[in-house]
Amino acid sequence: MRGGRLLLALLCLLLILAQLPAHLAARLLATACAEQCRLAATSGTLWQGQGQLYVASGKDWYALGQLAWQLPAGDALASARLEQGKLVWSAADRIDLDGISLPAAALFSQPALDLPLGSWQGTLQLRATRLQWAPTSSLPRASGELLWLGAASGLLAGRALGDYRLDWSWDGQAASAVLSGGRPGEIRVDGRIEPARVHGKLELQGAAGTALAPYLRLLPAVSGGGDGRYTVDYRWH
């Protein structure tokens, strides 16, 4: 008799857990990101639900779109979709992301980055990104692609700068990356980011050269420019 009651109690507990509402995920998320992100208009359960995701940058809030999640998800521990992007937690030591997009201002205006204030424009998108943890390390190894589409900034009078791609990797101790992109017929950028150094080439043509040259002359790490070709070499310790 006692065994039957215990089994019934366990079944009731499982039913209650299975029906935990999705708004609990909103509370957990807000706590995890120190109230810098919010999940609104939630529906479903804690294990399979959806809601509208917002992130803060300074005093501003940015809408990232609808977030839908499932735990577990087939063979994966968990999966989530943010608009057209997806995140898959496929194993205890691996997370894959692809197509995750957010407004450039949501990242570049973060106070922690200490970047010059300006109206950052365009869309950032993570593609083919993987985080993988080694058993002996608390920090993951990571690699992926970061796109900046429709780049522009109020620091440069809002001028359209084109599209850029950053192929990056993190080995658990240092980061490296290759940067390429620009605006056809006006701007071309090719560069590398290495431990303690950023270097590369910049070519400006036509109206872009006239508009951007005065800003480049203010940067001590930039040289050249007589023919619209510049060299960038910035080092730190």
Side-chain angles (χ1 to χ4, degrees):
M1 188 70 174
R2 180 179 297 178
R5 290 178 179 176
L6 179 59
L7 179 60
L8 180 60
L10 288 174
L11 289 175
C12 290
L13 178 60
L14 289 175
L15 287 173
I16 292 172
L17 291 175
Q19 297 303 314
L20 288 174
H23 69 75
L24 291 179
R27 295 181 186 176
L28 293 171
L29 182 63
T31 300
C33 65
E35 303 296 335
Q36 295 302 297
C37 50
R38 294 176 183 171
L39 195 58
T42 56
S43 61
T45 69
L46 178 64
W47 317 108
Q48 184 171 357
Q50 61 185 13
Q52 297 297 316
L53 181 62
Y54 298 83
V55 297
S57 184
K59 296 181 180 180
D60 298 320
W61 284 88
Y62 297 88
L64 301 191
Q66 179 171 281
L67 174 68
W69 66 89
Q70 183 175 347
L71 303 89
D75 294 334
L77 298 176
S79 69
R81 297 196 69 89
L82 181 60
E83 294 296 326
Q84 303 304 312
K86 63 181 180 180
L87 178 153
V88 179
W89 188 1
S90 54
D93 61 350
R94 194 178 85 191
I95 296 177
D96 293 287
L97 303 95
D98 190 52
I100 302 293
S101 299
L102 70 159
L107 176 64
F108 294 145
S109 297
Q110 289 289 338
L113 295 180
D114 198 26
L115 293 174
L117 295 177
S119 178
W120 300 98
Q121 301 170 38
T123 300
L124 297 176
Q125 188 175 91
L126 281 172
R127 289 186 180 175
T129 298
R130 172 168 292 179
L131 289 76
Q132 190 148 14
W133 283 262
T136 58
S137 175
S138 59
L139 292 176
R141 293 176 179 268
S143 63
E145 302 171 14
L146 175 63
L147 305 183
W148 186 6
L149 307 175
S153 172
L155 296 172
L156 303 175
R159 183 175 186 83
L161 302 176
D163 301 327
Y164 297 86
R165 172 175 168 170
L166 189 72
D167 292 280
W168 62 274
S169 63
W170 166 264
D171 63 7
Q173 295 182 330
S176 61
V178 176
L179 173 66
S180 61
R183 182 175 172 85
E186 292 191 357
I187 304 171
R188 178 65 192 176
V189 174
D190 291 286
R192 299 186 69 88
I193 300 174
E194 300 170 350
R197 187 185 182 197
V198 175
H199 60 100
K201 304 291 185 181
L202 169 63
E203 295 183 20
L204 300 179
Q205 300 177 10
T210 303
L212 299 179
Y215 298 99
L216 293 173
R217 295 191 193 104
L218 299 175
L219 302 175
V222 177
S223 59
D227 55 356
R229 293 189 167 112
Y230 298 82
T231 299
V232 179
D233 196 344
Y234 178 69
R235 303 168 188 252
W236 65 94
H237 299 287

